[in-house]
Structures are given as C-alpha cells and as structure tokens.
C-alpha cells in the first residue's frame, strides 16, 4: 500500500506544525505506513455519502488533531489535518 499527500494536506500540515510539533505529525505518518491499525492512531471510519472509504487517525501525542484520509485502489491519500472543531464540522454533514 502506497501513501500520497494531497496539496491541501501539505498546506494544513505547515499551519498545524506551528501549533504542534512537526515531529509528531511525521511520526504519525510513519506509524501509519508501518501499522495502519495501531491502537495509538485511533483509526475511525467516517460515514460519508460522497466518499465511502473516508477515515481519520489521531496525531500521536496530541488528542486535539486528526488527519483525514481516504483509500482508492492500493493508494492511501492523506487529505487534511485539523483540530477537532473543524473535524466535527466537516464530518457532520459529509
């Protein structure tokens, strides 16, 4: 399974890295590459009409931020990284 980063994810990553450690975000990405079902990631499936494969994971060491991702074929796309308030708004009416 390969991993790709959306342009929006890269932009959000730079913004969020100012608030939390960039190292934590990169460690989360690496852990997902090696073990996507690890309990520290707190993987959640999101019920979404437009994207049946949407999921989210927790940024390691920080309960306040989540990463949105989706699957297509054998590729995982990291779409966005956000705080819980934005996460709740976006996933509410997906």
């Amino acid at each position: 399974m390969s991993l790709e980063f959306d342009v929006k994810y890269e932009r959000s990553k730079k913004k969020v890295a100012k608030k939390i450690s960039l190292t934590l975000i990169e460690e989360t990405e690496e852990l997902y590459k090696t073990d996507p079902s690890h309990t520290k990631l707190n993987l959640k499936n999101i019920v979404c009409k437009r994207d049946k494969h949407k999921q989210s994971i927790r940024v390691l060491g920080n309960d306040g931020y989540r990463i949105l991702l989706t699957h297509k074929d054998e590729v995982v796309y990291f779409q966005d990284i956000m705080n819980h308030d934005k996460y709740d708004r976006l996933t509410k009416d997906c």
Side-chain angles (χ1 to χ4, degrees):
M1 179 182 332
S2 65
L3 190 65
E4 291 189 19
F5 302 117
D6 191 280
V7 174
K8 186 176 182 179
Y9 175 78
E10 292 291 347
R11 269 189 264 127
S12 297
K13 182 176 170 179
K14 287 178 185 176
K15 287 181 184 177
V16 171
K18 294 175 184 176
K19 298 175 185 173
I20 64 172
S21 171
L22 179 62
T23 308
L24 290 175
I25 297 170
E26 291 171 345
E27 286 174 6
T28 304
E29 294 168 356
E30 286 301 315
L31 181 59
Y32 188 84
K33 285 180 191 176
T34 57
D35 185 8
S37 60
H38 196 285
T39 56
K40 284 185 177 182
L41 294 174
N42 193 19
L43 181 69
K44 290 185 179 182
N45 291 318
I46 299 172
V47 178
C48 184
K49 297 173 197 161
R50 291 173 269 171
D51 185 354
K52 303 291 182 198
H53 305 286
K54 192 173 283 281
Q55 296 179 314
S56 71
I57 57 174
R58 177 187 300 150
V59 175
L60 295 177
N62 194 311
D63 292 340
Y65 288 87
R66 296 198 65 83
I67 297 173
L68 286 179
L69 54 105
T70 190
H71 302 264
K72 187 170 184 178
D73 300 324
E74 288 296 313
V75 181
V76 176
Y77 297 96
F78 276 42
Q79 298 177 315
D80 204 352
I81 182 170
M82 63 197 70
N83 63 20
H84 267 286
D85 292 338
K86 184 177 177 184
Y87 170 80
D88 290 339
R89 274 195 318 273
L90 288 177
T91 59
K92 181 180 175 189
D93 297 321
C94 186

